[in-house]
Amino acid sequence: MTILVIDDEEANLVVLRSILTRAGYRNVHTLNDPVGAVERFREVRPDLVVTDFHMPVMDGLEVLRALRPLMPGYLPVLMLTADERPDLRERALASGVRDFLTKPVRGAEVLLRIHNLLEARSFHLRLQNENDRLELLVRERTLELERAHVETLARLALVAEYRDDQAGRHVWRVARGAELVAARLGVDPAWRALLVRAARLHDVGKIAVPDGILLKPGRLTPQELAVVRTHPAVGHRLLTGGDAPLLRLAASVALTHHERWDGGGYPAGLAGEAIPLEGRIVAAVDAFDVMTYHRSHQAARPPAAAMAELEAQAGTQFDPQVVVAVREAFDDGELPVVVPED
Ligand SMILES: [Fe+2]
């Protein structure tokens, strides 16, 4: 424990220092010019300040006022004074003084009071350390949990992705495309980062669509189409119920990525801005990407043709502003596209 003693009279400093060092205190610093208090405080970082009240230029209370900004938490101050006036003591207590010593000081009393104040300081420091440790622990655990969460969801996305598209790149392209479009729409970067992960899960509900339908070559019957169209609601059910922002966003993407701007989509038939932005973004980038690769019942289109088709459907199937953003990302060569097979 480090003690800083401030007194303008050198003789007092000598007496106090010898009392304290004889009692075993090793880090006792003294200062006879109160004007240098701030500098000295910064230098020695004391656990206790002992200061005289009557000093030239700055009195003890002025010294404390100057030191206050440097004293976070509990840092005890002991004031030395021969002045017994109650109003002075009240002012001193209000300024953060914890205890008084009346001059001339007696060794035994000095030691007892200093011992008590340092004990309080030591409790405070231990509590502070414990609080810091717990706070760090909570932060680490929360991060760990979030990481595990994201990891699990990514695995789930992989399962859905693997059945539908064995190369597994469709889901990645949709996620990256959604990120680029969101950036062009000027959304909050933190939301954008969530959207990248959420978009990967947009078709997770396809887990519940039987292979015989999902992988069927050729056109689907109306009954089969109805089964495929359950995947937004199924995905939503799988992802819903959590509190984490990522899960909530993923559930929303899964539910709304087949809604249409004109209200003719499914499952809810939402229109315009009633469709959440995440749903509008993923709807457009998903449709663009699906058009560009070969599926059993439909030939692949070159990316430029898919882009033109997207624009033809702006304002009917897709949010026009989202389509503009897709076009910009496409023209900049940033939008990931399927390399056409010869
Ligand atoms: Fe889908």
Side-chain angles (χ1 to χ4, degrees):
M1 287 284 179
T2 302
I3 304 171
L4 175 61
V5 187
I6 307 167
D7 197 313
D8 60 306
E9 277 180 53
E10 196 62 47
N12 287 342
L13 291 176
V14 171
V15 171
L16 271 169
R17 179 197 281 281
S18 92
I19 292 172
L20 290 170
T21 45
R22 254 184 294 146
Y25 290 102
R26 294 277 160 266
N27 299 313
V28 181
H29 300 266
T30 57
L31 177 70
N32 64 7
D33 178 10
V35 175
V38 167
E39 201 189 331
R40 200 61 192 280
F41 187 99
R42 282 214 177 94
E43 214 175 280
V44 304
R45 294 264 143 220
D47 296 292
L48 168 70
V49 174
V50 181
T51 179
D52 186 19
F53 177 68
H54 287 290
M55 294 182 287
V57 190
M58 279 173 105
D59 68 21
L61 292 183
E62 286 169 319
V63 167
L64 282 187
R65 249 196 304 283
L67 292 181
R68 183 56 50 201
L70 305 176
M71 299 163 74
Y74 178 83
L75 200 145
V77 176
L78 179 62
M79 186 161 274
L80 295 165
T81 177
D83 199 325
E84 302 262 12
R85 282 176 301 170
D87 67 308
L88 167 72
R89 299 219 164 194
E90 276 159 28
R91 265 166 51 218
L93 286 169
S95 311
V97 169
R98 298 281 160 172
D99 207 352
F100 297 94
L101 271 175
T102 308
K103 287 181 173 180
V105 296
R106 295 187 306 111
E109 193 190 2
V110 170
L111 290 176
L112 275 172
R113 291 186 191 261
I114 284 183
H115 175 80
N116 288 344
L117 291 174
L118 285 178
E119 198 171 51
R121 167 74 175 163
S122 146
F123 282 137
H124 168 79
L125 289 178
R126 267 170 25 213
L127 207 64
Q128 184 74 57
N129 285 343
E130 187 59 13
N131 282 347
D132 290 351
R133 203 180 61 81
L134 286 175
E135 234 169 69
L136 195 73
L137 208 67
V138 169
R139 264 207 303 276
E140 275 172 6
R141 287 285 142 81
T142 310
L143 263 178
E144 233 169 70
L145 248 153
E146 263 170 36
R147 268 200 293 270
H149 219 137
V150 169
E151 196 59 31
T152 311
L153 289 175
R155 293 294 149 100
L156 201 58
L158 212 63
V159 173
E161 183 174 332
Y162 196 74
R163 283 176 70 223
D164 202 15
D165 160 29
Q166 301 235 332
R169 303 306 287 165
H170 165 66
V171 166
W172 175 82
R173 287 189 302 266
V174 169
R176 173 72 181 133
E179 180 184 27
L180 291 166
V181 169
R184 280 182 165 73
L185 293 174
V187 302
D188 171 50
W191 187 83
R192 207 167 73 211
L194 288 180
L195 182 64
V196 180
R197 298 196 203 119
R200 292 194 60 189
L201 295 158
H202 70 278
D203 269 345
V204 74
K206 283 189 177 169
I207 281 177
V209 179
D211 282 355
I213 297 175
L214 193 66
L215 308 175
K216 181 186 172 184
R219 293 233 160 254
L220 298 178
T221 66
Q223 290 81 1
E224 289 166 341
L225 202 60
V227 174
V228 171
R229 289 185 166 187
T230 60
H231 81 271
V234 172
H236 183 254
R237 231 180 0 256
L238 283 173
L239 296 167
T240 217
D243 247 356
L246 172 58
L247 262 187
R248 287 212 301 267
L249 191 65
S252 169
V253 167
L255 186 64
T256 61
H257 74 281
H258 286 290
E259 297 289 355
R260 288 172 55 112
W261 185 252
D262 61 11
Y266 64 94
L270 300 176
E273 293 189 355
I275 309 164
L277 180 61
E278 56 272 22
R280 283 178 266 147
I281 292 175
V282 172
V285 292
D286 182 31
F288 168 81
D289 194 68
V290 165
M291 284 189 270
T292 61
Y293 62 86
H294 173 79
R295 284 155 302 147
S296 50
H297 57 283
Q298 206 172 320
R301 299 186 203 201
M307 190 62 241
E309 178 60 23
L310 210 65
E311 283 175 321
Q313 302 296 330
T316 51
Q317 189 173 351
F318 306 112
D319 176 349
Q321 270 182 300
V322 169
V323 174
V324 168
V326 179
R327 163 58 80 182
E328 285 171 11
F330 181 75
D331 285 350
D332 287 351
E334 288 180 353
L335 197 69
V337 296
V338 178
V339 181
E341 291 166 37
D342 291 323

